[in-house]
mmCIF file of all heavy atoms in Angstrom:
data_model
loop_
_atom_site.group_PDB
_atom_site.id
_atom_site.type_symbol
_atom_site.label_atom_id
_atom_site.label_comp_id
_atom_site.label_asym_id
_atom_site.label_seq_id
_atom_site.Cartn_x
_atom_site.Cartn_y
_atom_site.Cartn_z
ATOM 1 N N ALA A 15 21.169 -12.403 24.191
ATOM 2 C CA ALA A 15 20.716 -12.415 25.527
ATOM 3 C C ALA A 15 19.438 -13.303 25.636
ATOM 4 O O ALA A 15 19.265 -14.083 26.382
ATOM 5 C CB ALA A 15 20.434 -11.099 26.173
ATOM 6 N N GLU A 22 18.916 -21.510 28.991
ATOM 7 C CA GLU A 22 18.820 -21.736 30.474
ATOM 8 C C GLU A 22 17.632 -22.757 30.736
ATOM 9 O O GLU A 22 17.541 -23.352 31.685
ATOM 10 C CB GLU A 22 18.695 -20.482 31.196
ATOM 11 C CG GLU A 22 19.925 -19.684 31.218
ATOM 12 C CD GLU A 22 19.830 -18.273 31.870
ATOM 13 O OE1 GLU A 22 18.843 -18.145 32.651
ATOM 14 O OE2 GLU A 22 20.560 -17.398 31.642
ATOM 15 N N GLU A 27 18.694 -22.962 19.568
ATOM 16 C CA GLU A 27 18.234 -22.812 18.223
ATOM 17 C C GLU A 27 18.890 -23.726 17.169
ATOM 18 O O GLU A 27 20.141 -23.984 17.345
ATOM 19 C CB GLU A 27 18.375 -21.357 17.769
ATOM 20 C CG GLU A 27 17.906 -20.987 16.391
ATOM 21 C CD GLU A 27 18.105 -19.653 15.988
ATOM 22 O OE1 GLU A 27 18.896 -18.817 16.661
ATOM 23 O OE2 GLU A 27 17.386 -19.089 15.084
ATOM 24 N N TYR A 35 12.237 -15.305 12.525
ATOM 25 C CA TYR A 35 12.560 -13.855 12.932
ATOM 26 C C TYR A 35 11.687 -12.889 12.093
ATOM 27 O O TYR A 35 11.524 -13.140 10.811
ATOM 28 C CB TYR A 35 14.002 -13.591 12.782
ATOM 29 C CG TYR A 35 14.917 -14.333 13.660
ATOM 30 C CD1 TYR A 35 15.572 -15.564 13.296
ATOM 31 C CD2 TYR A 35 15.089 -13.943 14.949
ATOM 32 C CE1 TYR A 35 16.414 -16.201 14.139
ATOM 33 C CE2 TYR A 35 15.820 -14.516 15.908
ATOM 34 C CZ TYR A 35 16.530 -15.747 15.408
ATOM 35 O OH TYR A 35 17.345 -16.424 16.268
ATOM 36 N N ILE A 60 4.692 -16.603 20.486
ATOM 37 C CA ILE A 60 5.314 -15.267 19.773
ATOM 38 C C ILE A 60 6.008 -14.552 20.907
ATOM 39 O O ILE A 60 5.516 -14.158 21.892
ATOM 40 C CB ILE A 60 4.225 -14.431 19.269
ATOM 41 C CG1 ILE A 60 3.376 -15.198 18.163
ATOM 42 C CG2 ILE A 60 4.752 -13.147 18.748
ATOM 43 C CD1 ILE A 60 2.272 -14.494 17.629
ATOM 44 N N ALA A 74 -3.410 -9.597 17.334
ATOM 45 C CA ALA A 74 -3.424 -10.603 16.260
ATOM 46 C C ALA A 74 -4.045 -11.906 16.804
ATOM 47 O O ALA A 74 -4.546 -12.631 15.976
ATOM 48 C CB ALA A 74 -2.043 -10.792 15.576
ATOM 49 N N ILE A 81 4.960 -13.735 24.707
ATOM 50 C CA ILE A 81 5.941 -13.236 25.621
ATOM 51 C C ILE A 81 6.329 -11.824 25.196
ATOM 52 O O ILE A 81 6.926 -11.768 24.088
ATOM 53 C CB ILE A 81 7.059 -14.172 25.837
ATOM 54 C CG1 ILE A 81 6.605 -15.541 26.310
ATOM 55 C CG2 ILE A 81 8.116 -13.586 26.908
ATOM 56 C CD1 ILE A 81 5.876 -15.532 27.725
ATOM 57 N N ASP A 87 4.965 0.512 30.970
ATOM 58 C CA ASP A 87 4.055 -0.156 31.914
ATOM 59 C C ASP A 87 3.070 -1.030 31.098
ATOM 60 O O ASP A 87 2.188 -0.467 30.463
ATOM 61 C CB ASP A 87 3.346 0.926 32.725
ATOM 62 C CG ASP A 87 2.409 0.310 33.825
ATOM 63 O OD1 ASP A 87 2.023 -0.805 33.656
ATOM 64 O OD2 ASP A 87 2.195 1.059 34.872
ATOM 65 N N SER A 96 -3.067 -7.147 35.055
ATOM 66 C CA SER A 96 -2.401 -7.110 36.204
ATOM 67 C C SER A 96 -1.060 -7.638 36.062
ATOM 68 O O SER A 96 -0.845 -8.607 35.403
ATOM 69 C CB SER A 96 -3.186 -7.901 37.331
ATOM 70 O OG SER A 96 -2.372 -8.252 38.493
ATOM 71 N N LYS A 117 12.603 10.224 37.087
ATOM 72 C CA LYS A 117 13.832 9.934 37.815
ATOM 73 C C LYS A 117 15.057 10.454 37.021
ATOM 74 O O LYS A 117 15.972 11.153 37.622
ATOM 75 C CB LYS A 117 14.040 8.481 38.158
ATOM 76 C CG LYS A 117 15.354 8.067 38.866
ATOM 77 C CD LYS A 117 15.408 8.677 40.249
ATOM 78 C CE LYS A 117 16.667 8.152 40.918
ATOM 79 N NZ LYS A 117 16.806 8.735 42.291
ATOM 80 N N LEU A 121 17.773 13.358 38.060
ATOM 81 C CA LEU A 121 19.294 13.185 38.041
ATOM 82 C C LEU A 121 19.994 14.288 37.038
ATOM 83 O O LEU A 121 21.033 14.793 37.349
ATOM 84 C CB LEU A 121 19.595 11.733 37.427
ATOM 85 C CG LEU A 121 19.351 10.589 38.340
ATOM 86 C CD1 LEU A 121 19.468 9.243 37.561
ATOM 87 C CD2 LEU A 121 20.314 10.570 39.570
ATOM 88 N N ALA A 129 20.602 24.443 34.516
ATOM 89 C CA ALA A 129 19.644 24.270 33.327
ATOM 90 C C ALA A 129 18.201 24.364 33.702
ATOM 91 O O ALA A 129 17.678 23.455 34.297
ATOM 92 C CB ALA A 129 19.939 23.003 32.713
ATOM 93 N N LYS A 152 4.891 16.700 34.286
ATOM 94 C CA LYS A 152 4.547 16.596 35.695
ATOM 95 C C LYS A 152 5.790 16.771 36.552
ATOM 96 O O LYS A 152 5.912 17.539 37.549
ATOM 97 C CB LYS A 152 3.874 15.381 36.068
ATOM 98 C CG LYS A 152 2.484 15.259 35.486
ATOM 99 C CD LYS A 152 1.883 13.890 35.788
ATOM 100 C CE LYS A 152 0.401 13.796 35.161
ATOM 101 N NZ LYS A 152 -0.125 12.437 35.373
ATOM 102 N N LEU A 159 10.948 23.478 36.356
ATOM 103 C CA LEU A 159 11.684 23.591 35.143
ATOM 104 C C LEU A 159 10.737 23.752 33.895
ATOM 105 O O LEU A 159 9.551 23.357 34.025
ATOM 106 C CB LEU A 159 12.478 22.221 34.892
ATOM 107 C CG LEU A 159 13.561 21.914 36.044
ATOM 108 C CD1 LEU A 159 14.063 20.538 35.802
ATOM 109 C CD2 LEU A 159 14.599 23.009 36.036
ATOM 110 N N VAL A 163 9.295 19.824 24.084
ATOM 111 C CA VAL A 163 9.198 18.531 23.464
ATOM 112 C C VAL A 163 9.612 18.535 22.057
ATOM 113 O O VAL A 163 9.063 19.344 21.262
ATOM 114 C CB VAL A 163 7.821 17.901 23.646
ATOM 115 C CG1 VAL A 163 7.760 16.468 22.986
ATOM 116 C CG2 VAL A 163 7.374 17.743 25.110
ATOM 117 N N SER A 167 10.943 10.915 14.278
ATOM 118 C CA SER A 167 10.609 9.547 13.915
ATOM 119 C C SER A 167 11.365 8.944 12.792
ATOM 120 O O SER A 167 11.113 7.841 12.451
ATOM 121 C CB SER A 167 9.099 9.460 13.462
ATOM 122 O OG SER A 167 8.910 10.438 12.421
ATOM 123 N N LEU A 188 16.804 15.080 27.625
ATOM 124 C CA LEU A 188 16.500 13.790 27.945
ATOM 125 C C LEU A 188 16.043 13.072 26.734
ATOM 126 O O LEU A 188 15.029 13.425 26.159
ATOM 127 C CB LEU A 188 15.422 13.673 29.075
ATOM 128 C CG LEU A 188 15.181 12.442 29.759
ATOM 129 C CD1 LEU A 188 14.658 12.666 31.206
ATOM 130 C CD2 LEU A 188 14.002 11.693 29.005
ATOM 131 N N TYR A 215 20.248 9.261 29.023
ATOM 132 C CA TYR A 215 19.707 8.243 28.233
ATOM 133 C C TYR A 215 19.168 7.104 29.126
ATOM 134 O O TYR A 215 19.332 7.150 30.391
ATOM 135 C CB TYR A 215 20.760 7.632 27.269
ATOM 136 C CG TYR A 215 21.496 8.632 26.480
ATOM 137 C CD1 TYR A 215 22.682 9.109 26.880
ATOM 138 C CD2 TYR A 215 21.120 8.997 25.153
ATOM 139 C CE1 TYR A 215 23.396 10.157 26.121
ATOM 140 C CE2 TYR A 215 21.754 9.885 24.460
ATOM 141 C CZ TYR A 215 22.950 10.461 24.857
ATOM 142 O OH TYR A 215 23.639 11.350 24.188
ATOM 143 N N VAL A 221 26.083 5.446 26.848
ATOM 144 C CA VAL A 221 27.315 5.925 27.451
ATOM 145 C C VAL A 221 28.586 5.208 26.843
ATOM 146 O O VAL A 221 29.554 5.832 26.599
ATOM 147 C CB VAL A 221 27.201 5.658 29.012
ATOM 148 C CG1 VAL A 221 28.548 6.058 29.743
ATOM 149 C CG2 VAL A 221 26.017 6.335 29.573
ATOM 150 N N LEU A 239 15.609 -12.575 30.273
ATOM 151 C CA LEU A 239 14.360 -13.140 31.085
ATOM 152 C C LEU A 239 13.222 -13.399 30.106
ATOM 153 O O LEU A 239 12.447 -14.397 30.313
ATOM 154 C CB LEU A 239 14.014 -12.013 32.043
ATOM 155 C CG LEU A 239 14.881 -11.790 33.288
ATOM 156 C CD1 LEU A 239 14.547 -10.647 34.082
ATOM 157 C CD2 LEU A 239 14.991 -13.009 34.098
ATOM 158 N N THR A 244 9.972 -17.585 27.480
ATOM 159 C CA THR A 244 9.640 -18.274 26.244
ATOM 160 C C THR A 244 9.919 -19.795 26.437
ATOM 161 O O THR A 244 9.113 -20.651 25.952
ATOM 162 C CB THR A 244 10.439 -17.662 25.018
ATOM 163 O OG1 THR A 244 10.167 -16.276 24.833
ATOM 164 C CG2 THR A 244 10.111 -18.362 23.735
ATOM 165 N N PHE A 271 34.686 10.942 30.967
ATOM 166 C CA PHE A 271 35.367 11.670 29.838
ATOM 167 C C PHE A 271 34.538 12.614 29.311
ATOM 168 O O PHE A 271 34.871 13.796 28.874
ATOM 169 C CB PHE A 271 35.981 10.689 28.735
ATOM 170 C CG PHE A 271 37.002 9.648 29.351
ATOM 171 C CD1 PHE A 271 36.730 8.406 29.665
ATOM 172 C CD2 PHE A 271 38.344 10.153 29.562
ATOM 173 C CE1 PHE A 271 37.582 7.562 30.098
ATOM 174 C CE2 PHE A 271 39.165 9.290 30.174
ATOM 175 C CZ PHE A 271 38.940 7.984 30.397
#
Side-chain angles (χ1 to χ4, degrees):
E22 290 174 16
E27 186 177 8
Y35 294 100
I60 298 175
I81 300 299
D87 182 336
S96 164
K117 178 65 175 179
L121 288 169
K152 290 177 183 176
L159 301 175
V163 178
S167 56
L188 189 151
Y215 309 89
V221 178
L239 292 173
T244 300
F271 298 105

